Amino acid sequence: MSSATREALPQGITWFKYAAPQTFFPLAGALAPWFAAIAVVLFVAGLYIGFFVAPTDAQQGEAYRIIFIHVPAAWMSMLIYLVMAFWAGVGLAFNTRLSHMMASALAPTGALFTFLALWTGALWGKPTWGTWWAWDARMTSELLLLFLYFGFMALQAAIDDPRRADKAGAVLALVGVINIPIIYFSVKWWNTLHQGASVSLKSAPTMATTMLTGMLVMVFACWAYAIAAALWRVRCIILERERRSDWVRDYLGAGR
Amino acid sequence: MNWGSAADFFAMGGYGLYVWGSYAVTAVCIAIELVSLARRRRAAGGPS
C-alpha cells in the first residue's frame, strides 16, 4: 500500500490491526464458536420448518424437500468462491499474508458445498427428471467449479514456497471467477434441463412462503457454518505457517 | 403436521432414498470436515 492511501484513511482505525495473523488468531478463535452455535440453532430451525411446517409440493410430492439443502449448498458454492477470490485478489494487491490464508481456508469448505450441490442435485434429478446427470450448462459449469476448487488446493499443495503458492493460487482463483456468472445465468442463457431461478431479487419468489422461509433459514445456517469452519481452518493455517515466530512458540508453549 | 406416523416420515412419500440420501451425505460431509479440522488443529500443536 502506498503512503498516500495510508494517509487518506482515518487515523486510529483498528481494522488493519487484524490484518496481522498474530492479532487475527485470537479474534478468529473467539468468533468461531459463536458462528458454530448460530449454525446449529439455524440448522435445527430450518430442518424443522422444512420437514414439519412446509407443506407437500403439489407437483413433486415430498421429493422437493431436497431443496432445503440443495439450493443453500449451490448458493454457498458460488458465494464462497467469490469471497475466496476476493481475498486472493486483496492478497495479490496488498501482499498481505492473512488474505491469502483466508482464501486457502475457504477452499475446502467451498469444495464441500459444491460437491453437496452436485450430489443433492443428482438425487433430486433422478425422481423428477428421470436422470441423475445431464451435461447441461448449469450442471457442467457447477462441475467445473468443483474442479476449480480442487485445482486451487492442488496447486497450492504442489508449491513448497508458501508465498509463491499463495500467488499462483490467487491467479487461478481470480481467473476462475468468470465461471460464477456463467453458473448463475446459465439457466437464462442456455436451454437447460435445470429449471430457472425460483428466487430472484427482481420478482416475487415462485414458492410457498413456508418453503421459502425454510430455505432461507437453511441458507443462513450454511453461512454461519462456513464462517465457523473457515475461521477454524485459518487458525490451523496460521499455526502451521507462523510456527517459527515467537508468538506462536509462546502460544503453543503456554498450552502445554 | 405433514406426517401421520414415523414410518410416513421416513418413507417421504416414496422418495425416502432420494431425500434421506441427500441429508445423510450432507451430515457425513460436515462431520468429516469437522473431524479433519480437529485433527489438523492437533497436528499443528494447538489445543484440541
Side-chain angles (χ1 to χ4, degrees):
Chain A
M1 190 184 292
S2 72
S3 59
T5 40
R6 191 171 290 152
E7 278 159 24
L9 291 164
Q11 293 298 308
I13 196 164
T14 52
W15 245 154
F16 289 99
K17 193 180 121 187
Y18 291 106
Q22 182 179 357
T23 42
F24 187 70
F25 184 83
L27 178 69
L31 289 176
W34 288 100
F35 282 104
I38 292 168
V40 170
V41 170
L42 290 179
F43 271 128
V44 170
L47 290 173
Y48 177 79
I49 296 169
F51 281 96
F52 294 101
V53 180
T56 304
D57 188 69
Q59 286 174 11
Q60 298 194 9
E62 311 297 353
Y64 94 91
R65 292 188 198 276
I66 295 172
I67 200 174
F68 299 113
I69 190 62
H70 175 73
V71 171
W75 283 357
M76 290 309 293
S77 71
M78 294 186 280
L79 180 66
I80 290 176
Y81 194 93
L82 289 177
V83 177
M84 183 181 97
F86 168 79
W87 285 121
V90 170
L92 275 187
F94 300 110
N95 207 19
T96 40
R97 282 171 304 154
L98 184 62
S99 311
H100 288 298
M101 292 179 189
M102 278 305 296
S104 303
L106 284 160
T109 304
L112 180 129
F113 278 112
T114 312
F115 166 74
L116 287 176
L118 291 165
W119 175 264
T120 58
L123 283 174
W124 198 2
K126 186 63 181 169
T128 49
W129 304 330
T131 181
W132 304 102
W133 179 261
W135 291 102
D136 87 349
R138 170 56 69 84
M139 292 172 233
T140 308
S141 53
E142 182 76 9
L143 184 64
L144 180 62
L145 181 67
L146 184 64
F147 292 149
L148 280 168
Y149 279 120
F150 285 159
F152 176 85
M153 290 187 280
L155 184 62
Q156 288 208 322
I159 301 173
D160 286 335
D161 177 11
R163 304 301 289 262
R164 283 187 57 217
D166 282 344
K167 282 184 182 150
V171 171
L172 176 69
L174 285 171
V175 171
V177 166
I178 190 70
N179 190 41
I180 299 297
I182 293 177
I183 297 172
Y184 190 78
F185 292 110
S186 57
V187 288
K188 274 190 186 171
W189 292 345
W190 291 283
N191 187 10
T192 52
L193 179 61
H194 195 285
Q195 66 181 71
S198 306
V199 180
S200 82
L201 296 174
K202 284 183 192 148
S203 57
T206 57
M207 292 170 74
T209 313
T210 46
M211 293 180 190
L212 182 66
T213 308
M215 203 184 79
L216 291 179
V217 171
M218 289 295 280
V219 167
F220 290 124
C222 289
W223 273 10
Y225 170 77
I227 292 170
L231 289 176
W232 276 324
R233 190 173 291 108
V234 84
R235 276 167 66 86
C236 295
I237 295 173
I238 291 171
L239 284 183
E240 287 160 7
R241 291 211 192 165
E242 311 270 298
R243 63 185 180 277
R244 289 189 194 85
S245 67
D246 289 340
W247 77 268
V248 169
R249 285 183 178 179
D250 288 348
Y251 171 79
L252 294 180
R256 279 186 192 133
Chain B
M1 184 60 84
N2 297 307
W3 321 101
S5 66
D8 266 11
F9 179 67
F10 290 111
M12 276 290 141
Y15 296 112
L17 175 70
Y18 305 104
V19 174
W20 299 123
S22 298
Y23 287 93
V25 170
T26 303
V28 167
C29 284
I30 288 176
I32 290 172
E33 181 171 41
L34 293 177
V35 168
S36 69
L37 276 171
R39 279 191 188 161
R40 187 171 179 178
R41 177 90 185 267
R42 274 198 297 274
S48 50

